[in-house]
């Protein structure tokens, strides 16, 4: 798990990129999955401004993890309102997730309480609060969650970086 500071000018460019995006509940037919997630989200193109910013960070992230990341698999803009949360999960599955190496989150704002990013590792829950203008990167198979937002709105960009399938 690594954190990186993101310059305010870069955060401003990302915030301009999300203006006017149409958020949805990201509904799925899998009720067990749907019950773990209560957020509003919008998928974003890796070819847009935010995608270009993340692509420029890949060499730094590669240097930290050594996973030979080659591209962005997916980007989402997520808004958490009071009570919204994302329960325990991993970002890897048997399909496309097998190529996911690194999950990242970039916090775009402050002015909210709760909404903490937590990891479950070796039987312990680890609170890894991120601050505005921070990017946190972690291996995609680490179990994690976002606790309920207590007040205000939490805005975050999440993305998954991919490479060759896990062996």
């Amino acid at each position: 798990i690594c954190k990186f500071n993101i310059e305010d000018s870069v955060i401003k460019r990302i915030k301009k990129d999300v203006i006017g995006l149409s958020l949805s509940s990201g509904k799925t037919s899998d009720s067990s999955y749907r019950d773990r997630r209560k957020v509003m989200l919008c998928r974003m193109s890796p070819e847009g401004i935010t995608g270009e910013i993340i692509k420029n960070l890949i060499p730094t992230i590669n240097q930290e993890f050594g996973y030979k990341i080659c591209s962005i698999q997916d980007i989402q803009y997520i808004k958490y309102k009071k009570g919204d949360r994302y329960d325990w999960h991993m970002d890897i599955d048997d399909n496309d997730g097998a190529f996911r190496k690194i999950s990242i989150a970039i916090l775009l704002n402050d002015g909210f309480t709760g909404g903490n990013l937590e990891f479950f590792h070796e039987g312990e829950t680890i609170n890894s609060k991120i601050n505005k203008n921070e990017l946190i990167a972690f291996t995609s198979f680490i179990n994690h969650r976002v606790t309920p937002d207590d007040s205000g709105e939490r805005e975050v960009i999440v993305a998954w970086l991919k490479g060759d399938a896990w062996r």
Side-chain angles (χ1 to χ4, degrees):
I1 300 169
C2 298
K3 290 183 181 180
F4 304 91
N5 288 318
I6 305 294
E7 293 178 18
D8 199 47
S9 62
V10 173
I11 296 296
K12 286 178 182 176
R13 288 179 59 212
I14 293 171
K15 285 185 142 191
K16 283 183 183 178
D17 200 28
V18 302
I19 291 173
L21 290 178
S22 179
L23 297 170
S24 70
S25 63
K27 291 183 179 175
T28 175
S29 59
D30 180 348
S31 64
S32 66
Y33 180 76
R34 184 178 57 245
D35 292 341
R36 291 191 319 243
R37 175 178 72 180
K38 183 176 185 287
V39 295
M40 298 298 286
L41 62 87
C42 180
R43 284 197 150 66
M44 299 176 70
S45 169
E47 305 307 318
I49 292 169
T50 300
E52 287 302 316
I53 290 167
I54 293 170
K55 283 178 195 168
N56 290 334
L57 294 169
I58 287 176
T60 303
I61 293 169
N62 262 335
Q63 187 174 21
E64 195 64 42
F65 288 91
Y67 288 161
K68 298 181 182 174
I69 302 302
C70 60
S71 62
I72 300 169
Q73 183 182 27
D74 194 15
I75 304 172
Q76 295 177 359
Y77 167 63
I78 302 177
K79 186 180 283 190
Y80 293 80
K81 295 183 179 183
K82 185 176 179 175
D84 290 356
R85 86 249 182 258
Y86 210 130
D87 288 336
W88 292 112
H89 66 284
M90 291 181 280
D91 292 337
I92 296 217
D93 60 27
D94 293 333
N95 300 310
D96 290 339
F99 297 94
R100 287 182 179 174
K101 301 289 184 158
I102 300 294
S103 300
I104 66 169
I106 304 170
L107 188 60
L108 302 179
N109 69 315
D110 50 18
F112 62 91
T113 59
N116 294 318
L117 178 61
E118 295 182 338
F119 297 95
F120 190 75
H121 183 67
E122 296 182 355
E124 290 187 39
T125 300
I126 301 162
N127 186 343
S128 190
K129 181 174 173 34
I130 56 175
N131 298 307
K132 179 183 174 188
N133 294 26
E134 280 187 335
L135 176 150
I136 189 165
F138 55 95
T139 304
S140 296
F141 59 71
I142 295 176
N143 203 13
H144 59 284
R145 72 176 176 185
V146 176
T147 62
D149 186 308
D150 295 326
S151 68
E153 291 184 352
R154 178 182 187 267
E155 295 179 82
V156 64
I157 295 291
V158 295
W160 298 274
L161 308 179
K162 66 180 183 175
D164 293 337
W166 293 106
R167 297 173 200 246

